[in-house]
Amino acid sequence: MSDARAQAPETEIVDRNLTLEIARITERAAIAAAGWRGKGDEMRADQAAVEAMHDALTRIDFKGKVVIGEMRGSEKLGLDEEVGTGRGPDIDVAVDPLEGVTGCAKDLPDALSVLAFAERGGLLHVPDAYMEKIAIGPGYPEGIVDLDKSPRENIETLAKAKGVPITEIVACVLDRPRHASLLAELREIGVAVKLLPDGDIAAVIHAANSDDTGIDIYMGSGGAPEGVLAAVAMRCIGGQMQGRLILDTAAKREQAERIGIPDLKAKYSAEDMAHGDVLFAATGVTKGSLLNGVKILPRKIVTSSVVMRSWSKTTRWITAEHQR
């Protein structure tokens, strides 16, 4: 540990020991959602996760404010809602109680319950819109990938930096019709593509953990709120990420201006979207390449979670047994 790290002042997040609490919250939401796996009802699965996460958040000693909230019509965990007991540090809260609602309803891989905490003012406020995204893991020169480059240019630059032919690069892309031209270009140049049915928070984490997952880059577009949550994870793991809002209607542009975004065409780095000390937690709902899903057994429930913190660059993998 460097002297600078050793002498760095502790933040309120550390003082309140929220690292374990954040995992307990995503565990509760994941367990609630798991009861709806494979039952084809996205709304009920999501609502179960929202209710459980909201209930758990109200019990934590902090002054929480939801800045990235539930977007699917729930009355709980909406934008600007105050959560927590009102005692303790001021914390910005970003939630996605069920990332991958379709995956949960169809019992497909990589459905997660996701939560992030940041010091007040640490998270970018974004509208309910899509965001272009690109992400790679740590160990590369700054700026080797960029949203203003073509997919071919980004892949060529990444392959050169990695010291491998283009055909050994693996890209992760959400399986969506809007990505048809991107997929065609990647396959034309010989890139292997892992298609995810849902959940681009997991996709960004996959790219950041390239040594473990074999995925070199995440490309494409997904929800802007999920982009901010992914940026929190990227801040904790290391690596590079860019995001740019897709504001293709007047209503979305007006919403962006209303929440204070000055440049509607700006490119955001992970640090722009999530700065200061941040915490990230995710618990698997369905089994995936990142986390195991919730196991519901006769006498216990087993959960698999990851908790990360930016200040210490610590990643904790937690397997917990909950007595029924």
Side-chain angles (χ1 to χ4, degrees), residues 64-70 77-83 92-93 120 125 259:
K65 181 179 180 182
V66 177
V67 297
I68 300 291
E70 173 65 16
L77 298 181
L79 193 64
D80 293 330
E81 181 181 354
E82 294 182 359
V83 292
D92 280 353
V93 179
R120 187 55 52 88
H125 295 205
I259 62 178

Side-chain angles (χ1 to χ4, degrees), residues 153-231:
E153 289 173 322
N154 280 315
I155 294 296
E156 288 175 344
T157 307
L158 179 60
K160 183 177 180 180
K162 190 177 180 182
V164 300
I166 287 174
T167 53
E168 292 186 17
I169 295 295
V170 179
C172 186
V173 179
L174 284 184
D175 190 5
R176 295 289 187 273
R178 64 179 180 269
H179 292 145
S181 60
L182 171 60
L183 287 172
E185 184 169 354
L186 291 174
R187 285 174 171 155
E188 182 182 349
I189 62 178
V191 172
V193 178
K194 178 179 176 62
L195 288 173
L196 289 186
D198 216 348
D200 60 349
I201 297 175
V204 171
I205 297 173
H206 289 335
N209 284 294
S210 182
D211 290 344
D212 296 328
T213 64
I215 294 168
D216 298 294
I217 186 169
Y218 169 65
M219 309 174 79
S221 61
E226 290 83 357
V228 176
L229 279 158

Side-chain angles (χ1 to χ4, degrees), residues 267-288:
K267 289 185 296 185
Y268 297 102
S269 67
E271 291 76 13
D272 294 328
M273 291 186 273
H275 58 271
D277 192 22
V278 293
L279 291 174
F280 174 93
T283 299
V285 178
T286 60
K287 183 176 176 59

Side-chain angles (χ1 to χ4, degrees), residues 13 25-26 96 107 122 136 138 146 156 223 231 245 252 254 271 276 288 309-310 324:
I13 288 182
I25 296 167
T26 56
D96 197 343
D107 203 6
I136 59 173
D146 194 287
E156 288 175 344
L245 293 170
K252 290 176 183 176
E254 289 171 5
E271 291 76 13
R309 182 172 175 227
S310 64
R324 298 191 69 178

Side-chain angles (χ1 to χ4, degrees), residues 227-305:
V228 176
L229 279 158
V232 174
M234 184 63 77
R235 283 282 325 286
C236 298
I237 303 169
Q240 299 178 46
M241 178 181 176
Q242 277 189 352
R244 178 163 52 200
L245 293 170
I246 301 174
L247 303 172
D248 51 1
T249 67
K252 290 176 183 176
R253 290 189 289 272
E254 289 171 5
Q255 186 184 6
E257 291 171 348
R258 193 164 56 248
I259 62 178
I261 294 177
D263 182 357
L264 303 186
K265 298 181 180 180
K267 289 185 296 185
Y268 297 102
S269 67
E271 291 76 13
D272 294 328
M273 291 186 273
H275 58 271
D277 192 22
V278 293
L279 291 174
F280 174 93
T283 299
V285 178
T286 60
K287 183 176 176 59
S289 50
L290 178 66
L291 293 164
N292 288 324
V294 175
K295 294 180 182 178
I296 302 177
L297 304 172
R299 293 183 175 84
K300 64 184 178 181
I301 297 173
V302 182
T303 56
S304 174
S305 305

